[in-house]
Amino acid sequence: MITHLESIVMALIRLLAQVAGIEIFPDRYKTICCDDTLLARRINAAFLVALAGKAHNESNRARAFLEAVLDAPDWTEIATFYRTGIDKIQSEIEETDRINPLFAGQVADVAEWLSAAKEIRFAGDALERIWKISCPEAVGITGNIESLVKILRKKRTVSVEKLNKRPIENPARQVLFTANASFTIPLEETSLDEIPLTGKAVKKLALAIRGQRRFWSYQPVPLGLPPEQNEILQGLQNLDRTMEFERNRGNVSETDRLSCLISVSGTHDELAGISRDLLRDEIARCGGLRKIDVYAFTEEEVRRIVDEVLAPAAIRYLKRDDAAESLAVLGIDGAKGRHFSFLKSMGAFWQVCIDGAIRGTFNLALDQTFPEEELVRESNRSAFEHLMTPLWGATGRDNDGRMLELGMIAGALVNADDIGKGLFTPHVPVPQGPRRIEEYLFFST
């Protein structure tokens, strides 16, 4: 019996032949070759044909090909992923069918419609049917962009009822800037002799290179990069230049210094212990920072804050004997959300224990900084002037009438290559023109 999944995959294989003129699994694909590009194509093709199961007469040969690739040097992991994925996809759909009858009906509807159709024209209704099960977010978008934009804007409209009577007046003094920095081992072409490290750090780095990666941080910076390629240094230097720009506009005094709290981690255990020292050395290499005080915290420092300050305070003032266990959520190493939770919490901690002038936090991605000249040209306000708005801390109602506090402020991100076109150039534009092959299934844009 051909399953609904097999019918759908078979129809998509026919689509490849129809739209792109691709023969999905020709005879020449059924042997393992030495060319990496060709072998990758053959593995992909075998996976699709095998996924079509009984609906495709070459399914058994495709599975046999994947089994053979398991013994090919450098390809075992990928072939295993595809081979086990075939069964996992089928079982996942069966499980979803069991717990979600609506999804099961949609899959059956698409499979039966494809089987009955003499000719499939993958446009309009056909795309909508397939997207219902593979990419529900895309359903209803084609041809309705303008009306959907209006609906979205109406849904996101906020009616402001009360402005903040005490807006930020001096962001450099009243806002705690936060960021995350992560280091990893040097690139293969980097010589260890080129990296200015102390004896302890050299030994730790050598162990890390030979060891196993433990944490998969977002965009970790390899050690040994020149300063102009180091996103951490570039971000801090750009923030330093922001202070100078704001001073020239009268928003920052000569004596003001900006506090930047950074959670620092490493992708390997050996790097985690020395990551704060690595950050200090990297900043020193580029000549230091003129108007910024950097406070770096590793997992070790967070544990000390919890054990020596927060947990004892919770026991004394909140009568919470389980505080240390609850506060284990705060940290830096591991899942990405941990360092975000830590940085968010530090605003209140900083205000109470370090600097009572702090009234808000602003989290930076160090590869995304303030384009001051463009901001002023297009909005007549600099970065700090945007932070001084009475809308930050205002109250109002959303489109459904629910009360809101506008307690979070966020910037719109514009790529460096796009900002010359304007401040409101979208990162992902509305897709135009004919669909790419993969968009017939997953219309992610």
Side-chain angles (χ1 to χ4, degrees):
M1 173 183 170
I2 297 175
T3 67
H4 292 146
L5 172 66
E6 291 171 346
S7 295
I8 293 169
V9 174
M10 188 62 203
L12 294 172
I13 289 174
R14 285 157 54 196
L15 167 68
L16 288 172
Q18 176 183 317
V19 175
I22 298 173
E23 186 181 0
I24 193 68
F25 198 54
D27 288 337
R28 66 180 184 278
Y29 270 29
K30 296 162 192 173
T31 58
I32 297 175
C33 60
C34 297
D35 184 284
D36 285 348
T37 302
L38 287 177
L39 183 53
R41 289 177 182 171
R42 294 179 185 189
I43 293 172
N44 286 335
F47 168 72
L48 290 174
V49 171
L51 196 61
K54 296 177 182 178
H56 199 294
N57 57 12
E58 293 285 359
S59 176
N60 289 335
R61 293 183 67 175
R63 282 179 175 265
F65 178 82
L66 289 176
E67 295 288 350
V69 176
L70 291 172
D71 297 324
D74 302 324
W75 292 92
T76 301
E77 186 176 354
I78 292 175
T80 301
F81 174 77
Y82 272 151
R83 181 64 188 83
T84 58
I86 294 169
D87 296 329
K88 286 186 176 182
I89 290 171
Q90 184 70 63
S91 62
E92 183 179 323
I93 287 182
E94 291 172 356
E95 176 65 13
T96 306
D97 284 351
R98 186 182 66 79
I99 63 178
N100 187 348
L102 177 61
F103 178 79
Q106 290 172 338
V107 172
D109 174 64
V110 171
E112 291 167 6
W113 179 78
L114 289 171
S115 298
K118 294 181 179 179
E119 181 181 4
I120 304 298
R121 293 188 178 277
F122 283 85
D125 183 54
L127 283 176
E128 295 280 315
R129 287 173 181 262
I130 292 173
W131 286 341
K132 278 183 181 179
I133 59 174
S134 64
C135 189
E137 299 84 357
V139 174
I141 288 178
T142 304
N144 298 315
I145 293 294
E146 293 303 321
S147 61
L148 289 172
V149 166
K150 291 179 181 177
I151 291 171
L152 185 60
R153 284 179 174 163
K154 182 179 179 181
K155 184 178 180 181
R156 292 186 174 180
T157 297
V158 173
S159 300
V160 176
E161 297 183 346
K162 186 178 180 181
L163 294 173
N164 183 359
K165 293 182 179 179
R166 294 178 58 241
I168 296 292
E169 296 176 347
N170 184 341
R173 288 284 295 116
Q174 296 177 306
V175 177
L176 177 66
F177 288 79
T178 63
N180 170 251
S182 180
F183 291 102
T184 191
I185 58 177
L187 301 174
E188 289 184 4
E189 60 267 25
T190 302
S191 170
L192 296 187
D193 296 333
E194 301 173 4
I195 307 175
L197 298 174
T198 62
K200 173 187 173 183
V202 170
K203 292 179 181 179
K204 292 277 189 179
L205 179 56
L207 290 172
I209 292 172
R210 295 196 299 269
Q212 292 292 318
R213 181 169 180 156
R214 184 179 176 193
F215 303 117
W216 296 88
S217 307
Y218 175 66
Q219 291 182 327
V221 173
L223 290 170
L225 287 180
E228 63 272 12
Q229 296 178 17
N230 186 320
E231 287 184 352
I232 298 173
L233 294 181
Q234 289 298 305
L236 290 173
Q237 289 177 323
N238 286 335
L239 193 57
D240 213 17
R241 285 190 283 270
T242 291
M243 283 288 287
E244 182 65 20
F245 188 94
E246 297 291 345
R247 186 187 67 79
N248 292 333
R249 287 182 69 84
N251 299 322
V252 172
S253 73
E254 288 286 352
T255 58
D256 282 336
R257 296 186 65 82
L258 181 147
S259 295
C260 185
L261 189 155
I262 300 183
S263 60
V264 194
S265 60
T267 56
H268 297 63
D269 284 329
E270 295 83 3
L271 296 182
I274 60 172
S275 55
R276 190 170 64 159
D277 294 336
L278 293 172
L279 176 63
R280 181 193 59 210
D281 293 344
E282 290 289 296
I283 293 175
R285 279 177 60 199
C286 71
L289 302 166
R290 295 171 298 171
K291 305 292 289 184
I292 301 176
D293 293 324
V294 175
Y295 300 88
F297 289 82
T298 65
E299 183 77 21
E300 181 180 354
E301 280 77 47
V302 180
R303 298 274 63 79
R304 288 186 60 192
I305 290 175
V306 170
D307 295 340
E308 299 177 18
V309 182
L310 297 180
I315 293 171
R316 178 171 180 177
Y317 298 109
L318 303 178
K319 311 303 180 186
R320 285 286 302 272
D321 293 334
D322 62 341
E325 181 179 346
S326 299
L327 290 167
V329 68
L330 296 181
I332 292 170
D333 293 341
K336 186 176 181 180
R338 296 192 77 233
H339 76 75
F340 272 123
S341 296
F342 165 70
L343 293 175
K344 284 171 62 178
S345 69
M346 287 305 288
F349 176 85
W350 213 258
Q351 183 189 57
V352 172
C353 299
I354 308 296
D355 185 353
I358 293 298
R359 296 182 51 216
T361 61
F362 192 92
N363 186 66
L364 291 164
L366 290 175
D367 62 335
Q368 299 161 351
T369 49
F370 301 114
E372 290 279 38
E373 293 181 359
E374 289 86 352
L375 278 172
V376 172
R377 183 177 68 241
E378 297 206 27
S379 69
N380 294 320
R381 290 184 180 183
S382 67
F384 282 12
E385 288 160 3
H386 278 287
L387 297 181
M388 294 157 68
T389 172
L391 288 171
W392 192 6
T395 56
R397 295 183 183 273
D398 68 8
N399 190 53
D400 295 322
R402 292 173 296 194
M403 285 295 297
L404 296 175
E405 178 186 359
L406 306 184
M408 177 179 174
I409 191 166
L413 302 181
V414 185
N415 285 346
D417 293 341
D418 293 330
I419 196 159
K421 305 172 188 174
L423 191 61
F424 301 101
T425 305
H427 181 60
V428 180
V430 175
Q432 304 290 340
R435 305 276 176 263
R436 298 194 303 271
I437 287 294
E438 68 271 15
E439 290 178 340
Y440 286 92
L441 188 60
F442 299 111
F443 192 24
S444 58
T445 50

